[in-house]
Amino acid sequence: MAKRKTIRTIPQARTPMPEQAPEIRITNFDEVACGYRLEDALLEAERCLDCPDQPCVRGCPVGIDIPGFIRKIAEKNFHGAYDVITDTNLLPSVCGRVCPQESQCEGVCTVGERLEPVAIGRLERFIGDRAIAEGWTNLPYIERNRHKVGVVGSGPAGMACAADMAKAGCEVTVFEAFQEPGGVLKYGIPDFRLPNSVVDAEIEKLRQLGIRFECNTLVGRLFTLEQMMGEMGFSAVFVGTGAGYPSFMGIPGESLGGVLSANEWLTRCNLMHGRDFPAYDTPLQPGKHVAVIGAGNTAMDAMRVALRVGAEKVTCVYRRSAAEAPARAEEIHHAQQEGIDFQWLTSPVELIGDEQHRVRAMRCERMELGEPDASGRRRPVPVAGSAFEIECDMVVFAIGTNANPILGQTSGLKLDKRGYIWTDDTLATSIAGVFAGGDIVTGAATVIQAMGAGRRAARAMKAYLGLRD
Amino acid sequence: MSDFEIVARSDFSDVTFSLEVRHPLMARAAKPGQFVIVMEHEHGERIPLTLADFDRDKGTITLVIQAVGKTTREMQQNCRVGTRLHALVGPMGIPSHIGAAKKVICVGGGLGVAPIYPQARAYKESGAYVIGVLGFRNKGLIFWEDKFRACCDELILCTDDGSAGIKGLVTEGIKQSISAHADIDEVVAIGPPIMMKGCAEATRPFGIKTMVSLNPVMVDGTGMCGGCRVKIGEVVKFACVDGPDFDGHLVDFDDLMARLGRFRPTEKAALEAWQESCRLRGGAGH
Ligand SMILES: Cc1cc2nc3c(=O)[nH]c(=O)nc-3n(C[C@H](O)[C@H](O)[C@H](O)COP(=O)(O)OP(=O)(O)OC[C@H]3O[C@@H](n4cnc5c(N)ncnc54)[C@H](O)[C@@H]3O)c2cc1C
Ligand SMILES: Cc1cc2nc3c(=O)[nH]c(=O)nc-3n(C[C@H](O)[C@H](O)[C@H](O)COP(=O)(O)OP(=O)(O)OC[C@H]3O[C@@H](n4cnc5c(N)ncnc54)[C@H](O)[C@@H]3O)c2cc1C
Ligand code: SF4
Ligand code: SF4
Ligand code: FES
Ligand SMILES: [Mg+2]
């Protein structure tokens, strides 16, 4: 038997990800990170120490058997690795790309104590992409029962719940308001980070499980949750409608032309293909000098999209410092490489318009970090006399979202103080048989957390329906 | 669910036409004041249109469309009976509150004439005395007069040139009604923002509650993009989920009108490119 690996014997350097060069990639929407080749994956798999205590598994919100799947990669048993991952995670090619690994699995990897951690996400993506390319699906034998299950919203939470309930033998229909399924994965996250073709491939697998997708269906308004549980004959319903409703700051000038939310900007560009105007009809009207407020993933996406549709200068305005920026480390790194101008510790106070009611500048003030606030982060406080202007013809707000009000308006669902759907620990809502999870319960979170919630709700739903888990 | 087939169409003028689309579930769910979002084809944009009528027995909804730019003109050209819309979602928005008002004026002008119809009918059904005030540019553009007569106790037509009814704007009609009836509980007005603003100003001195239906630029219609935000008094609301009906005395109409021009340069380019391609196709003898 081979000698046990130690931190000294493994490849010391993390296997680099093949990437498009910054000056090229800002001219296209192809993926920035091109994915590990076979030899990259095999080399990186050698770096896992197969730790007995498996800290990485606890770092993953859904507890993927990480050393287990990496071992299979090292053995060149890729289908085996796929089986291990999909035992817990339905969307490896998605999560491998977009999980904030540095604060989840990789953040606690033993190798990371001395060297760069094992590239768990990249390996996971390698397997997910291989499964798509090879057409692996792992269709289980499904014993049909008589239950009809409805899923509202086709983002990661809804997809995960739908898959588990279909595997349990239920007849599952997913209702989506947009004309295409996928949620934020489709309308929000741009192709250069997560191609829509990858999302479509994952949705195709759900279709193969027998799941039906009904798009153009606004639940609550076309029919209510109560109607679903009553006359429409659903035995149980899962609500995964996301958070949605974007926030603004309430500063003067927010209604000027050229000022929009990141959701509007990204939806026009991604889902509606505004970047291919006039082949597609949705107007995008990109700015030349774009200022984006916020420093989360959404802000990074908004800025990098702006670059790719022709902006000459893109500025990130964030009231805290780089250390507090909530985006994935890789996104900030990529944004920096692409030439985004970061104005840390800066807060907008007013947007200034021209005669045509279009934005022409943003007045800002500098901030400094004061005492820690409720979130434990040091609270930014304005520096007196520090006001200055950034010239810009487009401003994007990427400062978070609130709960979407539609299901609250149209059903008896109990909501929490902030308007999100209230659930108990099992993700059951106040209506019997109706479960909820993802951003609409927790507020904006991550893809893998939403997916995990969908699966957790499925477990509770099975118990409610008296099905074996 | 439905394949969004167009089952009937009529043309009211060279710019206004109606489409009756099969969607039984929506016909059942629809209420006055709500709207839908339509995509004509796969490469199309999402545009909001008010539910101008719905027939629960036939399982259809009716849209009345004014051809103003690329998408609506293309629909005018392509949406024939038997064709299908690519997407149709709704009903959206909070239904109009048909309250206990005993006497109401329902005002429709321009593309607001059709959308005011379901409200007038609903008020009639709730037992109110309904005064309809409809504005058209001239006699030739009048449509649905019979439908309105069937649900209005009084109908006042206003034309710009006086070719039918009274000569002048709908605000003239409102003033006449207010002076004839001292007990008007509510005014409901739908039309171009400038018209709704005029209506709100006409009723303000009398303190008559005036509801308007706002039409800002929308994308999703589900509260997700914030493009449809409007100023109502001191607060900002999203018209698609918090409206589209708001208290006309609180609406910042100037803000609404300015925001409606947000994408005008691109819209103009789209229309010109499309007209050019039509001309070329026509010229090639197809
Ligand atoms: C731009 C952007 C970038 C992001 N980047 C990352 C990242 O890199 N990594 C990461 O982990 N997370 C990221 N996130 C967060 C992540 O995408 C979300 O946490 C996750 O998608 C939430 O999943 P969900 O299933 O709860 O909802 P969503 O993905 O929001 O899906 C909800 C779906 O429900 C539909 N819907 C809503 N209401 C109704 C209704 N009444 N009837 C029918 N359908 C309805 C919506 O149209 C939507 O399709 C990002 C988010 C954004 C916006
Ligand atoms: C709630 C609501 C209900 C409406 N009901 C009707 C109706 O019943 N009948 C009708 O004819 N029209 C209605 N409209 C207006 C209709 O949506 C626009 O006229 C249409 O989108 C114009 O598209 P276009 O490409 O033909 O013209 P464009 O040249 O693209 O636009 C012309 C003008 O229409 C407005 N507009 C453009 N795109 C949108 C959009 N996505 N959303 C809203 N406004 C837009 C802008 O002010 C623009 O300058 C309604 C709008 C709203 C918000
Ligand atoms: S799902 Fe995300 S957190 Fe879990 S192992 Fe994969 S990349 Fe890491
Ligand atoms: S912590 Fe790191 S080295 Fe240890 S098993 Fe997990 S991935 Fe491998
Ligand atoms: S249209 Fe997007 S929020 Fe109203
Ligand atoms: Mg248009």
Side-chain angles (χ1 to χ4, degrees):
Chain A
M1 206 185 109
K3 237 177 48 194
R4 191 165 180 91
K5 285 188 277 189
T6 70
I7 194 110
R8 278 179 227 277
T9 61
I10 61 170
Q12 300 289 291
R14 183 171 157 115
T15 314
M17 174 62 103
E19 281 177 1
Q20 278 198 76
E23 61 281 8
I24 308 227
R25 71 192 190 222
I26 59 168
T27 64
N28 65 52
F29 274 79
D30 297 339
E31 274 199 272
V32 168
C34 310
Y36 273 174
R37 292 154 301 198
L38 178 63
E39 61 271 26
D40 298 323
L42 292 175
L43 184 62
E44 188 62 20
E46 282 307 313
R47 299 183 71 231
C48 173
L49 298 172
D50 208 350
C51 312
D53 57 338
Q54 307 188 333
C56 52
V57 177
R58 273 172 279 126
C60 169
V62 298
I64 294 182
D65 176 4
I66 295 167
F69 92 78
I70 297 182
R71 207 182 306 125
K72 298 273 191 228
I73 295 180
E75 291 163 4
K76 298 199 180 135
N77 178 358
F78 305 120
H79 201 309
Y82 180 66
D83 292 341
V84 172
I85 298 174
T86 48
D87 201 32
T88 29
N89 179 3
L90 178 74
L91 306 171
S93 50
V94 174
C95 296
R97 283 176 171 82
V98 304
C99 264
Q101 286 95 5
E102 70 276 8
S103 53
Q104 296 181 353
C105 53
E106 294 177 16
V108 290
C109 167
T110 314
V111 173
E113 289 168 18
R114 299 266 215 80
L115 307 169
E116 281 208 85
V118 177
I120 301 168
R122 294 171 179 180
L123 290 172
E124 188 176 326
R125 165 181 169 178
F126 171 77
I127 294 300
D129 286 359
R130 203 161 174 105
I132 292 175
E134 304 280 336
W136 300 334
T137 43
N138 284 357
L139 283 183
Y141 169 72
I142 296 177
E143 200 175 324
R144 296 293 298 265
N145 59 42
R146 58 195 166 74
H147 292 297
K148 242 171 82 173
V149 166
V151 171
V152 186
S154 63
M159 287 192 219
C161 184
D164 280 0
M165 296 316 290
K167 288 177 188 164
C170 302
E171 183 191 322
V172 181
T173 308
V174 179
F175 298 102
E176 167 59 47
F178 267 126
Q179 72 272 15
E180 289 174 34
V184 170
L185 305 184
K186 213 53 166 295
Y187 74 70
I189 305 181
D191 275 9
F192 55 81
R193 221 151 60 77
L194 174 63
N196 277 349
S197 57
V198 170
V199 184
D200 288 336
E202 298 293 2
I203 288 166
E204 188 47 42
K205 289 187 192 168
L206 298 182
R207 289 209 165 94
Q208 288 171 11
L209 282 173
I211 297 167
R212 285 203 317 158
F213 286 86
E214 289 283 3
C215 294
N216 299 302
T217 307
L218 183 63
V219 176
R221 293 280 171 213
L222 188 60
F223 45 79
T224 62
L225 290 176
E226 282 86 351
Q227 280 175 295
M228 290 177 79
M229 291 301 290
E231 66 204 61
M232 291 173 74
F234 287 97
S235 309
V237 171
F238 174 76
V239 179
T241 48
Y245 205 95
S247 305
F248 293 86
M249 292 174 71
I251 57 176
E254 284 181 356
S255 62
L256 291 168
V259 179
L260 60 180
S261 76
N263 273 1
E264 180 176 0
W265 171 242
L266 292 170
T267 302
R268 283 180 180 277
C269 181
N270 299 336
L271 182 77
M272 302 310 298
H273 300 270
R275 68 174 190 257
D276 300 321
F277 183 90
Y280 285 77
D281 292 333
T282 302
L284 189 66
Q285 231 164 269
K288 286 276 168 244
H289 294 227
V290 179
V292 175
I293 308 167
N297 288 320
T298 311
M300 299 303 141
D301 287 344
M303 294 190 279
R304 298 171 67 202
V305 161
L307 273 183
R308 283 162 176 74
V309 294
E312 284 154 16
K313 177 158 192 217
V314 180
T315 306
C316 174
V317 177
Y318 184 54
R319 65 199 182 107
R320 300 177 192 260
S321 68
E324 285 91 20
R328 296 175 76 224
E330 187 183 7
E331 306 315 324
I332 298 181
H333 174 65
H334 281 155
Q336 276 164 338
Q337 285 182 331
E338 291 172 11
I340 304 283
D341 166 37
F342 283 90
Q343 296 287 331
W344 305 112
L345 289 166
T346 303
S347 188
V349 289
E350 183 184 359
L351 306 178
I352 303 162
D354 62 15
E355 314 74 58
Q356 276 97 50
H357 199 73
R358 297 195 56 82
V359 67
R360 66 161 183 80
M362 175 193 283
R363 192 192 309 285
C364 298
E365 60 186 6
R366 299 290 185 194
M367 312 294 277
E368 58 191 12
L369 294 179
E371 296 298 306
D373 62 13
S375 71
R377 299 181 298 181
R378 292 173 64 194
R379 185 198 303 274
V381 286
V383 177
S386 65
F388 70 104
E389 278 183 19
I390 297 174
E391 272 185 39
C392 51
D393 55 0
M394 186 173 127
V395 171
V396 180
F397 280 85
I399 55 169
T401 51
N402 294 310
N404 186 291
I406 294 177
L407 288 177
Q409 288 167 345
T410 56
S411 75
L413 275 182
K414 181 173 156 195
L415 307 179
D416 71 14
K417 292 193 292 295
R418 301 172 309 154
Y420 292 98
I421 296 177
W422 174 90
T423 66
D424 68 12
D425 293 340
T426 70
L427 297 181
T429 69
S430 59
I431 302 179
V434 178
F435 300 78
D439 283 5
I440 192 59
V441 171
T442 54
T446 64
V447 172
I448 188 68
Q449 281 167 327
M451 226 202 62
R455 300 205 65 190
R456 209 143 59 81
R459 221 166 294 139
M461 199 183 265
K462 285 184 236 174
Y464 171 81
L465 298 175
L467 301 172
R468 254 180 309 139
D469 193 18
Chain B
M1 197 118 301
S2 164
D3 55 6
F4 320 135
E5 186 185 339
I6 295 166
V7 297
R9 164 174 173 149
S10 47
D11 286 76
F12 301 140
S13 72
D14 56 346
V15 289
T16 314
F17 60 103
S18 73
L19 300 176
E20 193 176 341
V21 189
R22 184 159 51 228
H23 197 318
L25 263 183
M26 200 185 300
R28 264 182 64 195
K31 297 197 185 65
Q34 292 187 301
F35 64 95
V36 297
I37 287 207
V38 168
M39 278 175 84
E40 198 233 314
H41 53 76
E42 211 181 332
H43 289 204
E45 59 178 337
R46 295 170 64 92
I47 66 159
L49 297 166
T50 306
L51 281 160
D53 202 0
F54 34 87
D55 187 326
R56 305 203 204 287
D57 298 329
K58 268 164 76 186
T60 61
I61 58 134
T62 300
L63 308 171
V64 175
I65 304 162
Q66 215 168 64
V68 293
K70 167 160 193 221
T71 300
T72 47
R73 289 192 202 204
E74 199 176 33
M75 288 179 74
Q76 185 184 30
Q77 195 172 80
N78 297 342
C79 292
R80 302 281 146 201
V81 173
T83 64
R84 294 171 166 79
L85 298 171
H86 176 64
L88 170 64
V89 55
M92 290 167 154
I94 301 176
S96 299
H97 180 68
I98 306 296
K102 288 199 188 60
K103 201 173 261 186
V104 294
I105 311 180
C106 291
V107 190
L111 51 86
V113 170
I116 198 72
Y117 170 71
Q119 307 219 37
R121 183 176 59 184
Y123 270 111
K124 186 72 215 163
E125 284 166 2
S126 81
Y129 184 89
V130 181
I131 304 167
V133 176
L134 305 180
F136 298 94
R137 261 186 296 131
N138 60 54
K139 187 169 186 220
L141 299 177
I142 294 175
F143 65 91
W144 282 12
E145 186 178 343
D146 49 337
K147 285 178 80 143
F148 277 98
R149 292 226 180 265
C151 66
C152 293
D153 297 279
E154 288 176 41
L155 186 65
I156 303 177
L157 297 175
C158 312
T159 50
D160 293 357
D161 60 359
S163 53
I166 57 177
K167 179 169 177 347
L169 303 173
V170 289
T171 42
E172 245 352 275
I174 295 177
K175 280 178 194 149
Q176 283 193 8
S177 313
I178 293 179
S179 51
H181 302 267
D183 53 347
I184 295 196
D185 298 306
E186 190 169 334
V187 173
V188 187
I190 308 183
I194 190 76
M195 179 210 105
M196 294 191 283
K197 182 180 181 183
C199 295
E201 290 318 317
T203 59
R204 197 190 297 275
F206 302 94
I208 301 170
K209 181 179 167 198
T210 301
M211 295 303 286
V212 293
S213 174
L214 301 188
N215 57 349
V217 174
M218 295 187 175
V219 183
D220 54 306
T222 64
M224 196 277 290
C225 80
C228 64
R229 58 194 190 277
V230 288
K231 281 190 194 159
I232 311 297
E234 292 304 303
V235 291
V236 172
K237 299 272 186 189
F238 291 2
C240 68
V241 288
D242 302 322
D245 289 355
F246 294 98
D247 179 343
H249 294 150
L250 295 178
V251 172
D252 184 338
F253 285 102
D254 296 336
D255 186 75
L256 173 67
M257 287 186 268
R259 282 185 64 71
L260 277 168
R262 282 200 295 153
F263 292 98
R264 210 151 277 154
T266 317
E267 288 158 356
K268 191 161 165 274
L271 181 60
E272 282 165 4
W274 179 71
Q275 284 172 328
E276 179 63 14
S277 79
C278 290
R279 200 181 58 76
L280 288 176
R281 261 179 291 141
H286 286 289

